[in-house]
Amino acid sequence: GAVVSQHPSWVICKSGTSVKIECRSLDFQATTMFWYRQFPKQSLMLMATSNEGSKATYEQGVEKDKFLINHASLTLSTLTVTSAHPEDSSFYICSALGQPSGDTQYFGPGTRLTVL
Amino acid sequence: EDKVVQSPLSLVVHEGDTVTLNCSYEVTNFRSLLWYKQEKKAPTFLFMLTSSGIEKKSGRLSSILDKKELFSILNITATQTGDSAVYLCAVEAGLTTSGSRLTFGEGTQLTVNP
C-alpha cells in the first residue's frame, strides 16, 4: 500500500520558536495533503487541506499565519508552527490523496510536538 | 515496520444488518488501538482500546481487543444508513522515551442500503 512518512516523529521546543514538520508520500504522487491535529482520545481535527502548487485551504478557527503550510511538490508538504506556545503541544498527523490511492487517504505516523 | 491490516476493505449491507469489521496489527511496543469513523473530512474518534478482552460500547457500536492474537473487531448492530462511512483502525506504538507513532489501516468502506 501507499506510504506516507512524517519527520520528525517527535519534537520538543521552547516557547516562541518555530517548528517545521514534513509530510512525504513515498511511493505515490499526492495531489492533496491534509493536516490534522489530535488531542488524546479525541477525533482528528482537520486544520487545512493543501493542493500541490496552490495555497492551502484552512478550516475555520485555524490561524493561517501561525500554521504555515507549503505543498511545494507532489510528494512533500510542510507544516510550520510559528512562534509555538505550550497550547500548541499536540499530535500532528498528515494524510495524502493521489495516484494510485484514488479516494483513499493514507495517513502518516504523526509528529508529537511538545512546547515547553 | 509497523503494520495494520483491515478487512474487509469494502462492505455493503442492508439496514438492520449486523456487521463486524476486523483490524489486525503487527507493531513494536504497542500502546493502544483506536477506531475512527470517517464520513467526509476528519475522522471521528470512536474507541481507544488498551486492554485485552474488555469490550467498549457506545450505543450500537462495540469493540474489543485481543492483544494475544493481535487484532480488534468493531461491531455495529442494527445498522442504519447513517453508519455508511469509512471505518479506520489505527495503532499507537512506541516507547515513551522516543515518542509514539500512529499506523493507520486502509480502512473499511461500509455502505448501508435502505
Side-chain angles (χ1 to χ4, degrees), chain A residues 31 41 50-51 53-54 56 59 69 80 85 89 93 99 105 107:
Chain A
T31 49
K41 290 193 186 180
S50 77
N51 293 297
S54 61
E59 297 297 303
I69 291 171
T80 302
H85 288 106
S89 298
I93 301 170
Q99 296 303 321
Q105 276 189 44
F107 288 84

Side-chain angles (χ1 to χ4, degrees), chain B residues 18-35:
Chain B
T18 292
V19 297
T20 298
L21 310 183
N22 303 291
C23 175
S24 63
Y25 62 91
E26 287 178 39
V27 303
T28 304
N29 299 309
F30 172 90
R31 291 171 74 169
S32 65
L33 184 144
L34 305 104
W35 283 99

Side-chain angles (χ1 to χ4, degrees), chain A residues 37 45-48 57-67 88:
Chain A
R37 189 171 169 176
M45 184 196 84
L46 180 64
M47 298 173 67
T57 303
Y58 289 81
E59 297 297 303
Q60 197 169 9
V62 179
E63 299 173 59
K64 58 183 171 186
D65 293 331
K66 181 168 181 60
F67 298 100
D88 298 324

Side-chain angles (χ1 to χ4, degrees), chain B:
Chain B
E1 185 189 332
D2 294 342
K3 200 187 300 184
V4 176
V5 177
Q6 289 186 246
S7 64
L9 290 180
S10 176
L11 189 55
V12 180
V13 300
H14 291 292
E15 262 192 321
D17 288 350
T18 292
V19 297
T20 298
L21 310 183
N22 303 291
C23 175
S24 63
Y25 62 91
E26 287 178 39
V27 303
T28 304
N29 299 309
F30 172 90
R31 291 171 74 169
S32 65
L33 184 144
L34 305 104
W35 283 99
Y36 297 89
K37 177 183 181 183
Q38 184 172 30
E39 291 174 271
K40 287 187 181 174
K41 285 190 173 178
T44 305
F45 172 82
L46 295 175
F47 299 109
M48 183 171 94
L49 304 156
T50 54
S51 302
S52 246
I54 299 173
E55 186 184 51
K56 293 222 172 176
K57 257 181 103 70
S58 176
R60 294 177 294 103
L61 276 66
S62 64
S63 184
I64 197 160
L65 173 68
D66 186 328
K67 287 166 78 172
K68 186 178 172 191
E69 299 298 328
L70 308 182
F71 77 91
S72 173
I73 59 171
L74 175 69
N75 272 326
I76 308 175
T77 58
T79 52
Q80 301 170 359
T81 53
D83 295 327
S84 297
V86 174
Y87 290 83
L88 292 164
C89 169
V91 174
E92 186 182 11
L95 298 170
T96 50
T97 50
S98 60
S100 63
R101 59 196 180 276
L102 266 186
T103 303
F104 281 82
E106 290 200 18
T108 294
Q109 172 73 60
L110 173 65
T111 303
V112 181
N113 290 324

